[in-house]
């Protein structure tokens, strides 16, 4: 088994093998091109380090790429440092792209004396350029080696090994086909003078722009748009631009890259997105950053939330049609599967928010565990002994009366806690001696941050949400239609900050005392609206990464769980959340206007039976259908027309990767 999980790589030349971090090239030595090694050559004959197909030979002959047939490792052999300027003079390459070679076959020669005479270094560098996808580790044996000697042993990561065992390894890189299609439709390699990129766009310098087929390029899956400016043929890709750029350069050769111009373009486009100086600009920047932190903290668990939402929807159907009893063990087990990610959400969000904001993610996960600790949950649900500032006092801390809120299903308190920890942790490390940090930094951090959330932040949120709940009840009593408009438009905003929790007891009390809740019917419309908006994005977007989130988020929202739609797509891209809220306002208005009632907790489309009066079908059910249809139409149409374009994905800042080959050649 161990043997099957490893691959061997030969030395491409005679000489002394050195560790990659000893190579005098910052891009390779920092591992930006992947794991590998260097060789200080003693002779100029170059052999294939692996068996496979030659996938790239640079026009300047200084770099040769290979792909292995079984594991699909992409191996680059780079002949010398800063040798691209030599225009291939010191090199003789005996293979071409598409040739099959065996490990140890002679593939090229290099004139070491000529390279040294040109004041260039002769170091041969080998790198596995798809390390992050394929390798778990690479063990290199340094010292004197002959060309063809086994020099490195790589261990395949679990995903690659299992895929290899099951004969389902991909045959090419993720963006190879897109790269080939783009090159073919801009007029082919012969029409390209050079290629650079900024933070969202490929920028071709073409010999003849009329040879490019704009419509075909624009319609390629993964391409957002085509633009022409500054003598450049620009292909808008979005966040994946660096990956697509790498795939193209791998195919057409590093001679077409220009590292200095790429760095300049990246700097210019990144500068345009920097913090503004006007007061309103600062407010917008602050809100954008807050949304970025919230969505960034949620993205890692969005898939789990969507899956759980769908599972909860299925369970709702099973209980609605009496296929499973709510008291049966089957129900309890399935409910645990669907509900656990929400119940323990503070733990997961604590971990992800910690990583996002620079706090220790493990410590933040523990703090999330404090908030969801069974005794704390029980305390939060306990009967209040008195009230203070509208809060029910249900506990005491060293004799001081406190309100302990419920934190299951919540995210904002943990994000606020992660921010506090990111400020507290560096200070603790400065004042606590090194020998004591391992124990006392986590100790103080858990105590201070947990205490801040439980004793201060939670009560503040409770006061605010209680006040808002009182306002909502007042408005609803004044006019159901107006309250539907207001609650529908703003309810999901309350969800973001955890201020909606005071509404839930009102709904529960309504159902417990009267058997129904008009308010819950309005809340249901907001769920449908989030689903309608993300449904429009799922159909409209051509970006695979958007569709991968949008489709399950749509199903989940219609099953009554809006977090994947809201945090994964709508809120992240701004306008879509606004258009969804407008749709929710329309749905809430119609729900209130028609006095739609609801006899159960489960909302959205999956909860259609909650709108059936136990005493007999009445207009509430038809009102639900009318309001839901209007909500979907409005949120879908507004989102399609105004709420989202694939270009919006460009707003997601990506850290530009330092370029290879062009920079190192």
């Amino acid at each position: 088994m161990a043997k099957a999980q490893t691959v061997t790589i030969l030395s491409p030349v005679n000489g002394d093998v050195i560790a990659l971090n000893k190579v005098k090239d910052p891009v390779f030595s920092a591992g930006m091109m992947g794991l590998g090694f260097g060789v200080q050559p003693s002779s100029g004959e170059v052999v294939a380090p692996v068996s496979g197909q030659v996938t790239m030979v640079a026009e300047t002959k200084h770099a040769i790429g290979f792909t292995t047939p079984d594991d699909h490792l992409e191996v680059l052999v780079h002949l010398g440092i800063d040798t691209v300027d030599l225009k291939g003079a010191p090199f003789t390459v005996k293979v071409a792209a598409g040739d099959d070679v065996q490990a140890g076959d002679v593939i090229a020669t290099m004139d070491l004396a000529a390279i040294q005479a040109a004041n260039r270094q002769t170091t041969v560098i080998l790198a596995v350029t798809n390390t992050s996808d394929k390798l778990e580790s690479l063990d290199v044996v340094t010292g004197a080696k002959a060309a063809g000697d086994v020099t490195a042993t790589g261990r395949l990561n679990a995903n690659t090994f299992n895929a290899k065992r099951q004969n389902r390894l991909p045959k090419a890189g993720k963006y190879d086909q897109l790269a080939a299609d783009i090159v073919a439709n801009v007029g082919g390699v012969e029409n390209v003078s050079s290629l650079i990129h900024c933070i969202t766009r490929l920028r071709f310098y073409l010999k003849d722009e009329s040879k490019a087929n704009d419509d075909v390029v624009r319609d390629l899956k993964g391409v957002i748009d085509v633009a022409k400016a500054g003598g450049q043929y620009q292909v808008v890709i979005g966040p994946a631009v660096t990956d697509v750029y790498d795939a193209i350069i791998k195919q057409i050769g590093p001679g077409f890259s220009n590292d200095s111009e790429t760095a300049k373009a990246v700097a210019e486009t990144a500068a345009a997105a920097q913090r503004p100086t006007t007061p309103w600009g600062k407010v917008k920047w602050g809100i954008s950053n807050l949304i970025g932190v919230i969505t960034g903290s949620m993205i890692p668990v969005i898939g789990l939330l969507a899956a759980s939402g769908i599972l909860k929807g299925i369970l709702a159907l099973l209980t609605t049609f009496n296929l499973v009893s709510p008291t049966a063990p089957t129900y309890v087990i399935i409910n645990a599967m669907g509900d656990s990610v929400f119940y323990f959400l503070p733990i997961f969000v604590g971990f992800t928010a910690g990583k996002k904001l620079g706090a220790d993610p493990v410590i933040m996960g523990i703090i999330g565990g404090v908030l969801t600790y069974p005794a704390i949950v029980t305390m939060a649900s306990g009967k209040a002994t008195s009230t203070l500032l509208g809060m029910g006092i249900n506990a005491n801390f060293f004799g001081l009366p406190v309100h302990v809120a419920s934190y299951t299903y919540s995210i904002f308190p943990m994000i606020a806690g992660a921010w506090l920890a990111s400020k507290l942790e560096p200070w603790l490390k400065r004042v606590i001696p090194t020998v004591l940090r391992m124990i006392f930094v986590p100790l103080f951090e858990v105590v201070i941050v947990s205490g801040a959330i439980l004793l201060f932040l939670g009560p503040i949120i409770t006061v605010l949400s209680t006040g808002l709940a009182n306002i909502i009840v007042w408005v609803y009593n004044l006019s159901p239609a107006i309250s539907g408009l207001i609650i529908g438009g703003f309810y999901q905003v309350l969800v973001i900050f955890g201020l909606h929790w005071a509404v839930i007891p009102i709904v529960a009390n309504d159902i417990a005392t009267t058997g129904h809740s008009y308010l819950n019917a309005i809340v249901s419309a907001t769920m449908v609206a989030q689903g309608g908006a993300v449904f429009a994005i799922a159909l409209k977007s051509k970006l695979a990464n958007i569709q991968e989130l949008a489709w399950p988020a749509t199903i989940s929202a219609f099953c009554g769980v809006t977090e994947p739609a809201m945090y994964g797509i709508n809120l992240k891209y701004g306008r879509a959340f606004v258009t969804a809220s407008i749709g929710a306002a329309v749905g809430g208005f119609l729900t209130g206007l028609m006095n739609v009632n609801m006899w159960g907790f489960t909302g959205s489309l999956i909860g259609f039976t909650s709108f059936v009066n136990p005493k007999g079908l009445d207009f509430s059910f038809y009102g639900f259908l009318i309001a839901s249809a209007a909500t979907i139409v409005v949120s879908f149409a507004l989102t399609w027309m105004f709420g989202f374009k694939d270009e919006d994905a460009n707003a997601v800042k990506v850290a530009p990767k330092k370029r290879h080959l062009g920079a190192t050649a």
Side-chain angles (χ1 to χ4, degrees):
M1 182 70 72
K3 183 178 179 181
Q5 293 186 73
T6 60
V7 292
T8 56
I9 299 175
L10 313 184
S11 174
V13 291
N14 294 326
D16 289 326
V17 175
I18 59 175
L20 191 64
N21 61 7
K22 302 296 184 182
V23 171
K24 295 180 180 179
D25 180 283
V27 174
F28 280 104
S29 63
M32 294 179 187
M33 291 298 297
L35 298 176
F37 55 86
V39 186
Q40 302 290 8
S42 57
S43 63
E45 187 174 74
V46 183
V47 304
V50 292
S51 297
Q53 187 177 73
V54 178
T55 52
M56 183 274 291
V57 176
E59 285 195 353
T60 49
K61 304 178 184 178
H62 73 290
I64 305 171
F66 308 85
T67 298
T68 62
D70 295 327
D71 310 302
H72 305 298
L73 294 184
E74 296 174 2
V75 179
L76 176 72
V77 175
H78 198 281
L79 306 178
I81 298 175
D82 294 330
T83 51
V84 68
D85 296 335
L86 304 182
K87 307 298 182 184
F91 309 111
T92 301
V93 179
K94 302 180 180 182
V95 293
D99 289 351
D100 291 323
V101 296
Q102 294 297 314
D105 288 352
V106 177
I107 57 170
T109 59
M110 53 191 299
D111 188 335
L112 303 182
I115 295 171
Q116 292 169 338
N119 199 29
R120 300 291 191 273
Q121 296 188 53
T122 59
T123 308
V124 174
I125 308 169
L126 182 144
V128 180
T129 57
N130 59 346
T131 290
S132 60
D133 293 331
K134 301 294 181 181
L135 291 184
E136 184 177 292
S137 62
L138 185 70
D139 297 323
V140 177
V141 180
T142 58
K145 292 286 182 181
D149 284 353
V150 174
T151 301
T153 302
R155 185 178 180 84
L156 295 174
N157 62 31
N159 290 337
T160 300
F161 173 62
N162 290 333
K164 177 183 175 182
R165 261 195 329 186
Q166 297 166 22
N167 195 29
R168 56 179 178 83
L169 278 170
K171 298 302 181 184
K174 182 176 181 181
Y175 296 100
D176 286 355
Q177 187 57 53
L178 175 59
D181 290 341
I182 291 173
V183 171
N185 287 287
V186 297
V189 179
E190 60 276 9
N191 194 39
V192 178
S193 294
S194 64
L195 172 64
I196 63 174
H197 75 86
C198 60
I199 61 174
T200 59
R201 304 180 180 205
L202 300 170
R203 300 188 176 199
F204 286 92
Y205 289 93
L206 300 180
K207 296 173 184 176
D208 184 355
E209 282 192 2
S210 66
K211 293 183 178 180
N213 193 329
D214 299 356
D215 292 335
V216 174
V217 175
R218 188 177 287 112
D219 288 339
L220 292 174
K221 187 173 183 179
V223 172
I224 298 172
D225 201 1
V226 169
K228 299 175 184 179
Q232 299 170 342
Y233 187 87
Q234 300 180 358
V235 182
V236 184
I237 300 295
V241 66
T242 52
D243 296 310
V244 179
Y245 175 89
D246 286 343
I248 292 177
I249 291 299
K250 182 176 70 174
Q251 293 180 21
I252 68 176
F256 290 93
S257 65
N258 187 322
D259 187 63
S260 61
E261 287 300 312
T262 290
K264 182 179 177 182
V266 169
E268 288 175 351
T269 50
Q274 293 302 306
R275 183 173 181 169
T277 56
T278 63
W280 175 237
K282 289 181 179 179
V283 171
K284 290 172 64 178
W285 182 86
I287 293 173
S288 176
N289 270 6
L290 176 60
I291 291 174
V293 171
I294 292 173
T295 56
S297 299
M298 292 297 292
I299 285 295
V301 295
I302 287 297
L304 279 172
L305 292 173
S308 297
I310 294 169
L311 187 58
K312 287 167 75 70
I314 294 171
L315 187 60
L317 287 177
L318 291 175
T319 55
T320 295
F321 294 103
N322 297 318
L323 297 176
V324 174
S325 169
T327 60
T330 301
Y331 176 91
V332 174
I333 293 171
I334 298 177
N335 189 54
M337 295 175 184
D339 214 31
S340 63
V341 67
F342 296 97
Y343 190 89
F344 298 108
L345 195 57
I347 297 175
F348 306 131
V349 174
F351 186 89
T352 57
K355 292 181 68 175
K356 180 78 176 176
L357 292 169
D360 188 314
V362 174
I363 293 177
M364 288 309 304
I366 295 298
I367 293 170
V370 172
L371 302 187
T372 55
Y373 191 73
I376 298 293
V377 174
T378 302
M379 191 182 300
S381 61
K383 185 177 181 180
T385 56
S386 60
T387 59
L388 178 65
L389 298 176
M391 298 182 299
I393 302 303
N394 53 10
N396 69 81
F397 187 72
F398 285 106
L400 296 175
V402 295
H403 169 80
V404 177
S406 174
Y407 296 96
T408 55
Y409 285 72
S410 64
I411 66 163
F412 187 71
M414 287 308 304
I415 291 174
W419 175 83
L420 175 60
S422 71
K423 305 299 180 184
L424 176 65
E425 196 171 300
W427 180 80
L428 289 174
K429 289 181 177 178
R430 284 197 302 270
V431 300
I432 296 176
T434 303
V435 294
L436 301 177
R437 285 179 189 170
M438 186 176 72
I439 296 175
F440 286 99
V441 169
L443 171 64
F444 287 121
E445 199 168 335
V446 169
V447 170
I448 293 172
V449 177
S450 298
I453 296 174
L454 288 168
L455 302 179
F456 298 102
L457 183 60
I460 290 172
I461 290 177
T462 298
V463 170
L464 292 175
S465 57
T466 301
L468 285 170
N470 292 334
I471 293 173
I472 288 171
V473 171
W474 177 81
V475 173
Y476 189 85
N477 291 333
L478 181 68
S479 169
I482 293 176
S483 71
L485 183 73
I486 295 172
I487 297 168
F490 292 98
Y491 183 79
Q492 294 295 336
V493 177
L494 303 183
V495 172
I496 295 171
F497 297 101
L499 298 175
H500 66 300
W501 282 110
V503 176
I504 295 174
I506 297 172
V507 171
N509 182 67
D510 286 346
I511 293 177
T513 56
T514 67
H516 56 76
S517 173
Y518 292 102
L519 181 57
N520 205 27
I522 296 172
V523 172
S524 175
T526 70
M527 301 176 183
V528 175
Q530 291 291 329
V534 78
F535 182 39
I537 294 171
L539 287 176
K540 183 178 182 181
S541 178
K542 295 192 295 182
L543 299 178
N545 61 318
I546 298 295
Q547 292 181 343
E548 287 169 3
L549 282 175
W551 281 112
T554 300
I555 299 172
S556 180
F558 289 148
C559 286
V561 177
T562 58
E563 282 85 353
M566 190 161 63
Y567 297 118
I569 299 289
N570 297 345
L571 183 63
K572 185 177 182 180
Y573 296 110
R575 292 194 310 277
F577 184 77
V578 174
T579 54
S581 297
I582 294 172
V586 171
F589 174 79
L590 292 175
T591 298
L593 184 67
M594 295 183 290
N595 291 311
V596 175
N597 211 342
M598 190 171 175
W599 285 266
F601 278 103
T602 304
S604 196
L605 300 186
I606 199 73
F608 65 94
T609 57
S610 295
F611 295 85
V612 176
N613 190 334
K615 296 180 180 180
L617 191 67
D618 60 17
F619 189 74
S620 281
F621 182 74
Y622 302 109
F624 157 74
L625 296 179
I626 294 169
S628 296
T631 301
I632 292 174
V633 168
V634 172
S635 59
F636 183 97
L638 290 179
T639 304
W640 185 281
M641 293 186 293
F642 310 111
F644 180 83
K645 297 182 293 184
D646 276 340
E647 288 91 331
D648 292 339
N650 300 348
V652 179
K653 293 182 180 179
V654 290
K657 295 188 287 187
K658 292 185 179 180
R659 292 271 54 81
H660 58 82
L661 299 178
T664 61

